[in-house]
Amino acid sequence: MAGLRWVDALDSAMSETFEGMAFAEVARGVAATASAEPDAQVWACVDVVEPPFGPLVVVVGRAFAARLEETITGAEHGDEGGRLDALGELANALAGRLARRIDPRGERIVLGLPKVGVGAWSGEDALDWVVYVADDRDPIRIGRRR
């Protein structure tokens, strides 16, 4: 990666994405493991193809995903599909901003389509995780392949 370490680039991309889309302030949090109740979390994954970075995984709690959906779409009391779609859109925006920071020369950015799901991320142990906290309460786990 030219210039910034990926976590430094992620800090900036997280702030811009969450403030712009979710109207939430994020800060680096303490290390957190996956929820003891996997069904209490949802995830989105976007593959950053160019510049070569690999998959970027975003894991949040279901309650936070519901707030994201309401903030992003304006839909109150939406459904699980809407929550997952909103999280996928947020992950896509985050991946694009991160890719731009990783390679700021303006080279081509290619992202895969967002994948979303409920429960624990299947490749938990194969990723390096960075934890953020939104509005001083909601953990957001961001993972990248080692």
Side-chain angles (χ1 to χ4, degrees):
M1 286 188 321
L4 294 175
R5 292 179 321 129
W6 85 273
V7 292
D8 294 331
L10 181 62
D11 286 347
S12 173
M14 284 288 292
S15 291
E16 185 178 342
T17 302
F18 275 80
E19 288 171 10
M21 291 182 72
F23 306 109
E25 290 186 17
V26 295
R28 190 86 66 89
V30 296
T33 58
S35 171
E37 298 179 33
D39 287 343
Q41 56 191 1
V42 293
W43 57 266
C45 177
V46 176
D47 193 25
V48 180
V49 179
E50 291 291 335
F53 182 82
L56 181 73
V57 179
V58 179
V59 179
V60 300
R62 282 181 134 157
F64 185 64
R67 287 196 303 282
L68 277 177
E69 178 194 22
E70 185 175 342
T71 302
I72 291 172
T73 68
E76 292 183 42
H77 312 296
D79 62 9
E80 187 90 281
R83 288 183 198 108
L84 293 172
D85 286 346
L87 182 60
E89 287 300 319
L90 186 127
N92 194 54
L94 176 62
R97 287 182 174 111
L98 178 62
R100 181 63 59 214
R101 284 164 176 79
I102 290 169
D103 189 4
R105 296 173 299 168
E107 299 296 320
R108 188 171 94 138
I109 291 177
V110 178
L111 303 176
L113 294 174
K115 297 175 186 86
V116 295
V118 176
W121 171 254
S122 63
E124 184 81 22
D125 295 334
L127 300 180
D128 285 326
W129 293 95
V130 180
V131 178
Y132 292 86
V133 177
D135 295 330
D136 294 326
R137 64 179 179 182
D138 295 298
I140 304 161
R141 298 176 62 236
I142 308 295
R144 147 179 217 212
R145 186 176 25 216
R146 292 186 175 127

